[in-house]
Amino acid sequence: MALSPYVQAMQELFRANTRSREFPAHGAKVHSVAWSCCGRRLASGSFDKTASVFLLEKDRLGRSPGIGRAGPGRVKENNYRGHGDSVDQLCWHPSNPDLFVTASGDKTIRIWDVRTTKCIATVNTKGENINICWSPDGQTIAVGNKDDVVTFIDAKTHRSKAEEQFKFEVNEISWNNDNNMFFLTNGNGCINILSYPELKPIQSINAHPSNCICIKFDPMGKYFATGSADALVSLWDVDELVCVRCFSRLDWPVRTLSFSHDGKMLASASEDHFIDIAEVETGEKLWEVQCESPTFTVAWHPKRPLLAFACDDKDGKYDSSREAGTVKLFGLP
């Protein structure tokens, strides 16, 4: 079958830029990477209890204009300290490129403003936090902890609006793009869907035969994807709530997913030493990004075919000549 013009164009682009670039970010493994809504900044959260923010320059990640040129190994715009435990996940405000929020095992979330580089709010939660998302309308932050409690926090008052204790293992959480449903993936292989803001159960979908780990919605609002311990990625029609195809090139549990800005590519990663990039509409393999260790987190840039990701640091057995806690970019010219 002849490749579509889109697939050919992307493959040519990736072929011309096959090497991933590495940027020192942290003193320990990176758990989460995320782009600001405008795509100018990339944030990372780490086991070292900090978050870092980089500025995207034309062909690299760099420091702010006016702070001086980035020397070797000094590409961060800023480092954000304050958490007392690992930063497990972070996300940006959906429409304000200056605000991001971090979830930590220290039983707090923190909201940060890159204009002042300060924490503007610390919200205490009941447990060790492992996942976080910001509602599409920017008004609410949802955070989940190790005890399967999800707390909904008002983004303006920083107070809890609602709290739900679930009777199953909650893995990842997300609103749909319309902000009227809330999705959870669980340890039984199901996707649980609640109405929002009522938080009434709408549906439970048996999506996978084993642990359903991650979930992402595409920017166009047409699909969402889930990744599972069965090493499959499944693609779902948002309106019909039916699975339209599966991607099966990974051999290990799927840890992380990201749709490209145009909704046409889906990156998925696991303990396999590559990131799979698939064409969404056909399931065809567009590219494989080679990695030297398992990948924790992937995030497509919101405006261009540029993929940020971070890998495991091999449990401290990292080659001493290499920087631990690096953020990587694939697709830079």
Side-chain angles (χ1 to χ4, degrees), residues 128-149:
E128 296 176 46
N129 301 310
I130 53 174
N131 46 45
I132 196 161
C133 59
W134 212 311
S135 62
D137 65 6
Q139 293 180 14
T140 311
I141 296 164
V143 58
N145 68 27
K146 286 184 177 176
D147 300 318
D148 307 313
V149 174

Side-chain angles (χ1 to χ4, degrees), residues 49-87:
K49 308 176 187 176
T50 72
S52 291
V53 173
F54 302 82
L55 263 180
L56 179 64
E57 294 169 350
K58 193 161 65 173
D59 62 348
R60 64 174 296 157
L61 293 175
R63 285 161 67 81
S64 287
I67 299 182
R69 292 188 64 78
R74 294 194 63 197
V75 297
K76 284 201 296 290
E77 184 187 15
N78 271 303
N79 196 243
Y80 294 77
R81 300 178 183 277
H83 278 300
D85 203 343
S86 169
V87 176

Side-chain angles (χ1 to χ4, degrees), residues 264-312:
K264 293 182 177 180
M265 294 187 286
L266 178 62
S268 54
S270 65
E271 290 181 45
D272 291 275
H273 288 191
F274 67 90
I275 299 166
D276 182 70
I277 299 178
E279 184 184 30
V280 169
E281 286 298 343
T282 64
E284 279 187 66
K285 182 170 88 170
L286 266 169
W287 202 258
E288 246 179 40
V289 181
Q290 296 303 314
C291 311
E292 292 179 5
S293 53
T295 301
F296 277 121
T297 175
V298 295
W300 282 108
H301 188 276
K303 295 183 178 175
R304 53 191 272 205
L306 176 63
L307 187 71
F309 63 101
C311 299
D312 199 337

Side-chain angles (χ1 to χ4, degrees), residues 183-203:
F183 287 63
L184 309 95
T185 58
N186 78 29
N188 304 321
C190 294
I191 305 162
N192 289 82
I193 307 170
L194 309 178
S195 62
Y196 189 81
E198 302 83 9
L199 300 176
K200 301 290 184 221
I202 294 177
Q203 195 165 346

Side-chain angles (χ1 to χ4, degrees), residues 81-333:
R81 300 178 183 277
H83 278 300
D85 203 343
S86 169
V87 176
D88 275 15
Q89 205 170 44
L90 53 77
C91 61
W92 291 84
H93 188 289
S95 56
N96 182 338
D98 297 320
L99 300 180
F100 71 98
V101 62
T102 49
S104 171
D106 66 4
K107 301 185 180 180
T108 70
I109 69 164
R110 286 175 177 251
I111 303 172
W112 309 85
D113 189 327
V114 297
R115 292 165 297 190
T116 62
T117 70
K118 288 191 171 66
C119 172
I120 59 171
T122 301
V123 183
N124 292 306
T125 59
K126 288 187 175 175
E128 296 176 46
N129 301 310
I130 53 174
N131 46 45
I132 196 161
C133 59
W134 212 311
S135 62
D137 65 6
Q139 293 180 14
T140 311
I141 296 164
V143 58
N145 68 27
K146 286 184 177 176
D147 300 318
D148 307 313
V149 174
V150 178
T151 305
F152 295 84
I153 295 161
D154 187 304
K156 285 201 177 77
T157 66
H158 311 134
R159 294 206 171 130
S160 171
K161 298 200 288 191
E163 192 176 272
E164 289 286 320
Q165 170 74 65
F166 293 94
K167 293 177 181 168
F168 47 74
E169 177 188 311
V170 175
N171 287 320
E172 199 160 58
I173 53 179
S174 179
W175 274 271
N176 65 339
N177 296 18
D178 291 336
N179 213 108
N180 63 359
M181 288 193 282
F182 192 76
F183 287 63
L184 309 95
T185 58
N186 78 29
N188 304 321
C190 294
I191 305 162
N192 289 82
I193 307 170
L194 309 178
S195 62
Y196 189 81
E198 302 83 9
L199 300 176
K200 301 290 184 221
I202 294 177
Q203 195 165 346
S204 178
I205 302 170
N206 290 316
H208 293 270
S210 56
N211 199 341
C212 193
I213 298 170
C214 46
I215 184 167
K216 280 288 180 295
F217 282 79
D218 94 77
M220 304 294 122
K222 187 176 181 184
Y223 298 118
F224 66 91
T226 57
S228 167
D230 62 11
L232 291 176
V233 174
S234 55
L235 184 74
W236 299 80
D237 181 289
V238 165
D239 295 326
E240 303 293 330
L241 295 178
V242 294
C243 181
V244 291
R245 71 184 52 88
C246 286
F247 308 83
S248 57
R249 284 180 289 271
L250 297 171
D251 290 326
W252 291 86
V254 182
R255 291 183 176 186
T256 176
L257 299 164
S258 182
F259 282 95
S260 58
H261 68 285
D262 54 9
K264 293 182 177 180
M265 294 187 286
L266 178 62
S268 54
S270 65
E271 290 181 45
D272 291 275
H273 288 191
F274 67 90
I275 299 166
D276 182 70
I277 299 178
E279 184 184 30
V280 169
E281 286 298 343
T282 64
E284 279 187 66
K285 182 170 88 170
L286 266 169
W287 202 258
E288 246 179 40
V289 181
Q290 296 303 314
C291 311
E292 292 179 5
S293 53
T295 301
F296 277 121
T297 175
V298 295
W300 282 108
H301 188 276
K303 295 183 178 175
R304 53 191 272 205
L306 176 63
L307 187 71
F309 63 101
C311 299
D312 199 337
D313 290 336
K314 301 176 186 171
D315 298 321
K317 297 171 190 157
Y318 217 74
D319 179 347
S320 59
S321 67
R322 312 246 320 216
E323 183 79 31
T326 56
V327 168
K328 300 174 176 66
L329 284 186
F330 172 75
L332 280 177

